[in-house]
Amino acid sequence: MTKKVTLGSKATPNTIRLSLAALLIAGSSFGVNAATLSGNVAFTSDYLFRGISQTDEGPAVQGGFTLSGESGFYVSAWGSNIKFGEGSMELDILGGWTGALNESWNVDVGVMQYRYPKGDNDVDQFDFFEGYAKFFYDSWTLGVAYSPDYFGTDVNDYYYLSADYKYQMAENFAIDLHFGYNVFEDAEEFSTFLAAGPVSKDTYLDWSLGFSTEVWGAGVSLKYADTDIEGSAECDLCDGRAVLTLSKSF
């Protein structure tokens, strides 16, 4: 179960290296010569991706870094331990641009690849590309993502629509609301993706409600997350659960 995109054909390690090199070269023309490097590390009690546990309901250590230029172009890498298939790690590589559309709206657009060492084979075909766009207005974040070859063998077109709202109750305390809508090509592909039993529809919802704050310079968040995947799918990793995350940016 859980994530994937290929724009045309399956990418190889050489393709990824060439893509990142091209992004860096292109970025240098837009001000990456004045680039800044930032990073983050986190510990979470359960790594959820679109409402589904990637760690068999266990904890995860995560981290990444981003190289960004004054023009808004950036390249980034992020990793986490996982617990499914033959591998034990996920590595995401992405590049994009972020900036202001007008006085009220900002945008973040790009392409990323989800990579799973030992998971990119003829049987599993876990690796995939995904194009994404996020729009920021006040306390809202609206997102859309698309993959023509989503996570797993025989899973093709996939769309993800999301809405996030952060209500700042106090200077150092916020309520966080998330809603996601997952759309597969048909019910058969959704069932293949879950690998947990048949489903009669081609969509599912994921949502979460929680709070976030900062303690001694570290981020702390606690949320309850769930999906509407019916019980007939026998997807224990899709059930509702509380998730605690500690994070630090640098």
Side-chain angles (χ1 to χ4, degrees):
M1 95 56 290
T2 255
K3 318 177 200 172
K4 174 175 185 196
V5 172
T6 350
L7 303 178
S9 60
K10 187 69 67 178
T12 65
N14 286 336
T15 302
I16 296 302
R17 284 192 289 269
L18 288 172
S19 298
L20 287 177
L23 283 167
L24 287 170
I25 293 171
S28 66
S29 301
F30 295 93
V32 174
N33 56 313
T36 59
L37 182 66
S38 59
N40 63 84
V41 293
F43 171 83
T44 184
S45 61
D46 193 349
Y47 170 24
L48 299 186
F49 180 75
R50 294 169 182 167
I52 303 177
S53 177
Q54 307 296 288
T55 47
D56 196 17
E57 301 181 308
V61 177
Q62 306 170 332
F65 63 86
T66 299
L67 181 67
S68 55
E70 293 179 346
S71 61
F73 285 92
Y74 63 86
V75 290
S76 184
W78 181 90
S80 174
N81 61 286
I82 58 171
K83 193 175 182 181
F84 60 84
E86 296 295 326
S88 60
M89 178 185 179
E90 172 189 334
L91 174 63
D92 302 340
I93 302 173
L94 58 152
W97 178 84
T98 183
L101 292 177
N102 53 43
E103 293 183 356
S104 302
W105 289 86
N106 290 290
V107 66
D108 179 4
V109 294
V111 176
M112 66 187 299
Q113 187 192 36
Y114 298 82
R115 296 183 60 80
Y116 304 87
K118 297 185 179 180
D120 186 24
N121 53 62
D122 292 337
V123 176
D124 296 324
Q125 296 183 14
F126 287 159
D127 291 8
F128 69 96
F129 282 93
E130 187 170 84
Y132 61 87
K134 292 183 178 181
F135 301 90
F136 307 92
Y137 176 79
D138 194 21
S139 299
W140 287 93
T141 301
L142 306 177
V144 58
Y146 168 71
S147 170
D149 186 15
Y150 198 48
F151 176 92
T153 309
D154 297 326
V155 181
N156 297 304
D157 287 344
Y158 167 85
Y159 295 88
Y160 186 66
L161 306 176
S162 63
D164 293 85
Y165 181 75
K166 180 180 287 290
Y167 177 65
Q168 202 73 38
M169 295 189 65
E171 182 179 353
N172 197 34
F173 187 88
I175 299 296
D176 304 306
L177 176 64
H178 165 79
F179 177 84
Y181 185 53
N182 302 257
V183 183
F184 292 81
E185 191 167 315
D186 51 44
E188 182 179 355
E189 291 196 3
F190 183 19
S191 297
T192 299
F193 163 80
L194 282 178
V199 292
S200 58
K201 58 182 182 178
D202 58 3
T203 65
Y204 81 90
L205 304 176
D206 70 88
W207 62 271
S208 67
L209 175 64
F211 75 86
S212 57
T213 186
E214 187 174 299
V215 179
W216 297 323
V220 180
S221 69
L222 179 64
K223 67 180 179 181
Y224 180 82
D226 202 354
T227 74
D228 73 338
I229 297 174
E230 56 262 41
S232 61
E234 300 177 357
C235 180
D236 294 336
L237 303 181
C238 310
D239 296 339
R241 70 202 63 215
V243 179
L244 173 66
T245 302
L246 307 177
S247 61
K248 177 68 175 179
S249 297
F250 53 88

